[in-house]
Amino acid sequence: MQPGKLIVFSAPSGSGKTTIVQHLLAQPELKLEFSISATSRAPRPEEIEGKDYYFLSLEEFKKKIKNEEFLEWEEVYRDNFYGTLKSEIQKIWAAGKNVIFDIDVVGGLDIKNIYPEQTLAVFVKPPSIEELKIRLKKRKTESDDKISMRVAKASIELATAPQFDFVIENNDLQTALKEAYDLVASFVGANNNRE
Ligand code: 5GP
């Protein structure tokens, strides 16, 4: 099997990385497929099993850790485990696609360390911690204490930005989308002649 490339987008929760990743996935010439992570957190109302995540119970998740089924995994928040299944990457590569990840900074850097040559690791930086707080509140997917937890974590995550191959500052979404497209297109060797 010919292994493809790995594209990691990591950022504090609320930085806009999911919007960037969705935009890139919509560009067929990049031949990207999203790595669906496994998680032990509860699904949000709009989330679909096998599309957004593979939702597992805490026991199921821990069993897969024991069986070494994960390429990487993290307890991102207490009792909320997230991880990349080795089977997911094999499946995407077998289909001749490149893998794109929407993953936390520790997991992102783990993947870069495991596959240094094949991985493009991009950090998406929010304009400020204040702005991050506003975005998370607007999103209305988390309670106030969960927002505080995510904001506290964001400050720690911001310190890891220099370890990534590139940092995109998401001040203006259109600019961030174009920067992300150009980086990925040149890394995967896609035709890079669009506006
Ligand atoms: P959320 O609960 O908002 O979906 O995700 C919380 C955090 O977990 C985000 O930073 C997200 O990128 C990260 N995450 C999602 N999947 C994975 C994964 O497979 N591994 C790791 N390490 N983090 C993940």
Side-chain angles (χ1 to χ4, degrees):
M1 186 185 59
Q2 180 66 39
K5 301 266 170 74
L6 302 168
I7 316 292
V8 168
F9 274 83
S10 294
S13 180
S15 303
K17 74 174 180 305
T18 304
T19 309
I20 295 175
V21 168
Q22 292 306 325
H23 170 75
L24 295 172
L25 277 164
Q27 318 304 322
E29 69 279 17
L30 299 178
K31 294 199 180 82
L32 299 176
E33 194 166 326
F34 184 63
S35 166
I36 301 164
S37 298
T39 183
S40 68
R41 86 147 157 76
R44 295 179 186 138
E46 75 287 2
E47 286 180 329
I48 298 167
E49 159 67 25
K51 178 172 174 280
D52 298 290
Y53 281 108
Y54 301 114
F55 293 100
L56 305 177
S57 68
L58 200 52
E59 287 102 90
E60 284 170 328
F61 200 104
K62 287 184 175 168
K63 197 165 153 207
K64 287 190 188 295
I65 295 175
K66 216 169 142 206
N67 293 342
E68 300 187 354
E69 290 180 52
F70 287 108
L71 183 62
E72 62 76 38
W73 61 269
E74 288 298 320
E75 187 175 7
V76 176
Y77 307 106
R78 197 152 65 91
D79 274 348
N80 283 2
F81 287 73
Y82 296 80
T84 306
L85 290 161
K86 291 176 185 168
S87 57
E88 184 70 8
I89 309 308
Q90 302 299 346
K91 190 181 79 186
I92 295 173
W93 279 350
K97 297 278 194 82
N98 303 301
V99 188
I100 186 161
F101 298 86
D102 176 342
I103 184 173
D104 93 315
V105 295
V106 180
L109 291 171
D110 278 351
I111 288 174
K112 179 74 190 172
N113 284 331
I114 299 167
Y115 293 107
E117 300 304 320
Q118 280 154 262
T119 305
L120 171 73
V122 182
F123 187 92
V124 183
K125 211 171 168 184
S128 66
I129 291 285
E130 256 327 291
E131 176 64 24
L132 195 72
K133 230 184 266 177
I134 294 166
R135 288 185 191 182
L136 285 171
K137 282 200 172 142
K138 258 198 211 153
R139 201 164 79 176
K140 293 198 175 103
T141 54
E142 259 73 34
S143 59
D144 278 356
D145 61 329
K146 289 231 168 105
I147 289 178
S148 305
M149 194 164 82
R150 284 174 186 242
V151 169
K153 191 167 187 283
S155 310
I156 301 166
E157 289 170 332
L158 279 174
T160 68
Q163 295 176 56
F164 283 75
D165 297 322
F166 291 96
V167 176
I168 290 179
E169 288 206 23
N170 191 6
N171 301 326
D172 170 65
L173 183 62
Q174 289 314 314
T175 310
L177 293 179
K178 172 135 187 19
E179 275 178 31
Y181 179 87
D182 290 346
L183 282 175
V184 174
S186 106
F187 189 71
V188 303
N191 237 351
N192 190 8
N193 55 3
R194 91 199 230 296
E195 259 311 287

